[in-house]
Amino acid sequence: MEDINKTAKIQFFFRPFSADPKVQVVIFVAFLVMYLTSLSGNATIAVTVQINNSLHTPMYFFLANLAVLEIFYTSAIAPLALANLLSMGKTAVSVTGCGIQMFFFVFLGGADCVLLAVMAYDRFIAICYPLRYTVIMNWPLCVQLMAGSLALGFLLSLPLTILIFHLPFCNNNEIYHFYCDMPAVMRLARADTHVHRTALYVISFIILSVPLSLISISYVFIVGAIVRIRSAQGRHRAFSTCSSHILVVLLQYGCTSFIYLSPSSSYSPEMGRVLSVVYTFVTPILNPLIYSMRNKELKDALRKALRKF
């Protein structure tokens, strides 16, 4: 009972980006614009796929689910970050609140990474086995792959979050970040965090390296298949459906790998905070832009939808 009361009194605060209120307001406006752009862009993708029968294919099913994941992923971070910017770092969050945010961040981010690997597998089947595509990528399998992505994200996030928040913390802690990121929170613990850092590294390796390896293997076969296509138009079409996915993968995995797979001794709070802006705010904006610009079918569907309004 005493431990519960102590935990209830613990609060976390987030270090402001700047001591100048005017700079904080500028950053607030930038974050708000990025957040709203991300919400509108990803919602547009999801709704467009839903209302267009021509887009009811496995590729667009996964793309729509990726867009929905991005909406929830960004929304797990943005509201608290925006409130903190306006309050100059005076917005407090409880241990429970911090734990909930961390859980959803890892859960949705992990599911996002696994889903990108699923999307690579979908392109591999479509390009390497086009005649068997509809048989292999049937709807029950698509739903199972999507559910599996969410389940893996959940199963990796829950134990790690519980492990980290069993650490002892002081009553008032300033997190050198704009959300409850794992490395930043663990730096505040009043105990040895070697086991926790190891667990974080192992889970980060599973979430990042395993899906990335599967994506890389898929694209080795995809490139081989594209090279063998005789028609220049066929090669261009095959490449255009994959290039957008490759760009998203590079953005998503590049920054996260740098933060979570680097040795803890080389972790820089300032660099971690800057790179986090990329994959929590910038990448969710770029995903719908990349897919809509690189994909003719989606672009045409978006044009038709806009004409109706």
Side-chain angles (χ1 to χ4, degrees):
M1 188 68 181
E2 187 179 347
D3 289 339
I4 294 173
N5 289 334
K6 285 181 180 178
T7 302
K9 293 177 183 177
I10 297 173
Q11 290 183 315
F12 293 102
F13 295 86
F14 301 96
R15 181 174 296 189
F17 281 88
S18 171
D20 187 344
K22 292 180 181 178
V23 175
Q24 287 285 104
V25 170
V26 171
I27 298 172
F28 169 82
V29 172
F31 274 32
L32 181 62
V33 169
M34 287 191 289
Y35 178 49
L36 295 177
T37 304
S38 170
L39 288 182
S40 58
N42 283 293
T44 300
I45 295 287
V47 171
T48 301
V49 171
Q50 178 63 32
I51 64 176
N52 280 271
N53 291 330
S54 61
L55 300 182
H56 290 180
T57 63
M59 181 176 81
Y60 294 108
F61 169 76
F62 293 129
L63 177 57
N65 278 280
L66 178 68
V68 173
L69 271 180
E70 294 285 13
I71 290 171
F72 285 108
Y73 175 71
T74 311
S75 297
I77 303 299
L80 186 59
L82 291 169
N84 182 65
L85 282 164
L86 281 183
S87 67
M88 289 295 294
K90 293 176 183 176
T91 301
V93 60
S94 65
V95 171
T96 304
C98 196
I100 290 171
Q101 186 187 58
M102 184 182 291
F103 166 75
F104 278 105
F105 171 73
V106 179
F107 164 43
L108 296 168
D112 198 308
C113 289
V114 176
L115 183 56
L116 287 173
V118 169
M119 292 172 76
Y121 174 72
D122 171 69
R123 291 300 81 208
F124 162 69
I125 298 297
I127 293 171
C128 297
Y129 301 98
L131 299 178
R132 298 176 58 197
Y133 178 70
T134 54
V135 176
I136 298 173
M137 296 302 295
N138 54 68
W139 284 112
L141 178 62
C142 292
V143 173
Q144 288 168 14
L145 289 171
M146 185 62 226
S149 300
L150 293 171
L152 279 172
F154 178 86
L155 292 173
L156 292 171
S157 175
L158 186 61
L160 182 60
T161 305
I162 291 172
L163 183 67
I164 289 174
F165 281 92
H166 268 81
L167 287 166
F169 297 98
C170 296
N171 287 348
N172 292 294
N173 304 272
E174 185 182 62
I175 301 174
Y176 200 134
H177 219 297
F178 58 89
Y179 67 93
C180 294
D181 194 26
M182 289 169 289
V185 171
M186 281 194 293
R187 288 171 67 88
L188 302 175
R190 295 185 295 111
D192 180 26
T193 59
H194 176 73
V195 172
H196 304 75
R197 289 197 305 269
T198 303
L200 173 60
Y201 185 86
V202 170
I203 289 177
S204 299
F205 185 84
I206 293 169
I207 290 177
L208 295 170
S209 298
V210 174
L212 185 58
S213 298
L214 294 174
I215 291 169
S216 301
I217 292 168
S218 295
Y219 274 107
V220 168
F221 287 103
I222 288 171
V223 170
I226 291 175
V227 169
R228 290 195 297 271
I229 297 175
R230 294 181 182 180
S231 161
Q233 186 179 1
R235 284 196 300 270
H236 176 74
R237 181 179 175 130
F239 179 73
S240 66
T241 62
C242 297
S243 58
S244 52
H245 180 257
I246 293 171
L247 287 171
V248 170
V249 167
L250 290 174
L251 282 169
Q252 181 75 10
Y253 281 87
C255 294
T256 49
S257 296
F258 185 85
I259 291 177
Y260 296 108
L261 295 182
S262 297
S264 57
S265 58
S266 65
Y267 175 78
S268 164
E270 190 60 42
M271 181 61 71
R273 189 161 65 166
V274 171
L275 287 175
S276 294
V277 173
V278 176
Y279 61 78
T280 55
F281 283 96
V282 179
T283 305
I285 293 173
L286 295 178
N287 286 356
L289 287 174
I290 290 169
Y291 278 110
S292 59
M293 286 190 297
R294 302 290 303 180
N295 192 297
K296 187 178 183 301
E297 288 178 327
L298 183 58
K299 201 188 298 183
D300 292 341
L302 284 168
R303 285 199 192 106
K304 288 178 184 176
L306 289 172
R307 284 194 197 114
K308 290 179 181 179
F309 294 101

